[in-house]
Amino acid sequence: MKSVQDIVTEIQDAGLKVTPQRVAVIQALYKLNHPRAEEIYKEVSQNIPGLSPTTVYNVLDALVEKDIIKRVKTEKGVMRYDAVPDHHHHMYCITTDRVEDFFDPELDNLLQNYFEKKQLKGFKLEDIKLQLMGKFE
Amino acid sequence: MKSVQDIVTEIQDAGLKVTPQRVAVIQALYKLNHPRAEEIYKEVSQNIPGLSPTTVYNVLDALVEKDIIKRVKTEKGVMRYDAVPDHHHHMYCITTDRVEDFFDPELDNLLQNYFEKKQLKGFKLEDIKLQLMGKFE
DNA sequence: TTTCAATTTGTAATAAATACAATTTAATAA
DNA sequence: TTATTAAATTGTATTTATTACAAATTGAAA
Ligand SMILES: [Mn+2]
Ligand SMILES: [Mn+2]
Ligand SMILES: [Zn+2]
Ligand SMILES: [Zn+2]
């Protein structure tokens, strides 16, 4: 969990204005697990009555743009968001829509070595993300 | 490319009725590259005037259900479809929305071995998909 | 051929996301 | 502190992707 001061500094460093809406969206992202925009809206609305859904989308776009948060791919055609911008992978539950973070530097090394040898013709590889599909028990 | 007869057999084997719409959707999927439903609709409409967009969605859902085709995750909140149901990975272009197939049994082996040793607590891993992010040249 | 469940169609409805003009506000400087 | 202003938020309308559902049609079995 990040302190409010850390969040404020993060927003400032990105050259964005620090607004209650932005701080609250980031806090909601930490509280919720890879939520959709609408879930964030519901959560943040409790602290900021009168919040506009449009603002949530605006804030999320701005934070993604500045690499403070990330988008997460899902099977369904709905966007989800990730409080963790650092490189990591995801475990997807096949039956529910649960998504969990997966950090593994050893695996990252393995993959990096593999793709250094193996040349992908016509494609400049910049990042590898794993989707671990399965079931949480 | 698959012959019409192969497609017909595939649909029959799945226990579905063989309709011109279903055959044409599968053909369109082979012709187009990981298209959206709307692109498939436009393509198939040329051969089947009066085609309903709803039918395209219905057909795609039925084919996914029967594992004849697959859905593809994308950054954007739009579903895309894949003619290839067999296990493979994807190269995503960061700048355009291009997606290309990536088959690599050697890598699959490497990953399988890695995850056989490494235990994921509380998660039963069933499939690993790589998202290779980069740029086509 | 006849039958009928499965499929397609057409229309309406929903959900997620975006456009945009008016209002408000955070940050800066006087 | 107050004034200034570009940036951000809000509210409303709109778009886009998808789904719901009832009526019409049709593929395949009898
Ligand atoms: Mn957006
Ligand atoms: Mn669908
Ligand atoms: Zn994550
Ligand atoms: Zn593919």
Side-chain angles (χ1 to χ4, degrees):
Chain A
M1 234 327 177
K2 237 170 223 172
S3 74
V4 175
Q5 186 48 57
D6 284 349
I7 293 174
V8 167
T9 305
E10 200 170 26
I11 297 171
Q12 279 174 337
D13 289 352
L16 296 174
K17 286 188 182 176
V18 178
T19 66
Q21 290 86 347
R22 282 176 175 165
V23 174
V25 163
I26 294 176
Q27 287 180 313
L29 265 175
Y30 272 100
K31 180 168 176 181
L32 307 169
N33 183 45
H34 301 97
R36 294 173 290 122
E38 201 235 352
E39 299 175 82
I40 297 168
Y41 170 70
K42 272 196 262 183
E43 173 70 21
V44 175
S45 287
Q46 296 179 343
N47 303 325
I48 304 180
L51 174 73
S52 171
T54 304
T55 298
V56 174
Y57 285 104
N58 287 342
V59 167
L60 290 170
D61 281 350
L63 297 178
V64 167
E65 172 75 20
K66 297 295 185 181
D67 265 323
I68 294 173
I69 66 172
K70 290 279 187 192
R71 290 189 217 277
V72 182
K73 293 183 177 65
T74 64
E75 287 295 345
K76 314 282 177 51
V78 194
M79 194 52 62
R80 295 174 67 168
Y81 294 87
D82 193 335
V84 180
D86 312 299
H87 173 79
H88 67 282
H89 309 286
H90 286 120
M91 296 179 276
Y92 290 80
C93 187
I94 291 167
T95 45
T96 70
D97 58 357
R98 186 168 159 203
V99 177
E100 292 290 341
D101 290 335
F102 178 72
F103 293 83
D104 192 338
E106 185 190 347
L107 176 60
D108 290 333
N109 253 307
L110 196 76
L111 289 169
Q112 200 179 331
N113 289 335
Y114 183 84
F115 280 104
E116 263 166 23
K117 287 168 206 155
K118 182 138 201 158
Q119 274 308 71
L120 299 178
K121 54 271 153 236
F123 188 71
K124 182 148 183 285
L125 183 61
E126 298 192 6
D127 191 23
I128 302 173
K129 278 183 223 157
L130 269 78
Q131 300 178 331
L132 304 173
M133 317 299 297
K135 285 178 190 159
F136 291 101
E137 286 150 356
Chain B
M1 234 330 175
K2 236 168 224 174
S3 73
V4 174
Q5 187 48 58
D6 284 349
I7 293 174
V8 167
T9 305
E10 200 171 25
I11 297 171
Q12 279 174 336
D13 289 353
L16 296 175
K17 287 188 181 175
V18 178
T19 66
Q21 290 87 347
R22 283 176 174 164
V23 174
V25 163
I26 294 176
Q27 287 180 312
L29 265 175
Y30 273 99
K31 181 168 176 182
L32 307 169
N33 182 45
H34 301 97
R36 294 172 290 123
E38 201 234 352
E39 299 175 82
I40 297 168
Y41 170 71
K42 272 195 263 184
E43 173 70 22
V44 176
S45 287
Q46 296 178 345
N47 303 325
I48 303 180
L51 174 72
S52 172
T54 303
T55 298
V56 174
Y57 284 104
N58 287 342
V59 167
L60 289 170
D61 281 351
L63 298 177
V64 168
E65 173 74 20
K66 297 295 186 181
D67 265 323
I68 294 173
I69 64 173
K70 289 279 186 191
R71 291 187 216 278
V72 182
K73 292 183 178 67
T74 63
E75 287 295 344
K76 315 278 178 53
V78 194
M79 194 52 63
R80 294 174 68 167
Y81 294 87
D82 195 333
V84 181
D86 311 299
H87 173 79
H88 66 283
H89 309 286
H90 287 120
M91 297 180 275
Y92 291 80
C93 187
I94 291 167
T95 47
T96 70
D97 59 356
R98 188 167 158 203
V99 177
E100 293 289 342
D101 289 334
F102 179 71
F103 292 82
D104 192 337
E106 185 190 348
L107 177 59
D108 290 333
N109 254 306
L110 195 74
L111 288 170
Q112 200 181 331
N113 289 335
Y114 183 84
F115 280 102
E116 263 166 25
K117 288 169 206 154
K118 182 138 201 158
Q119 273 309 69
L120 299 179
K121 57 269 152 240
F123 187 72
K124 180 145 184 286
L125 183 61
E126 298 193 4
D127 192 23
I128 303 174
K129 281 182 221 156
L130 269 77
Q131 301 178 328
L132 304 173
M133 317 300 297
K135 286 177 190 161
F136 291 101
E137 287 152 354

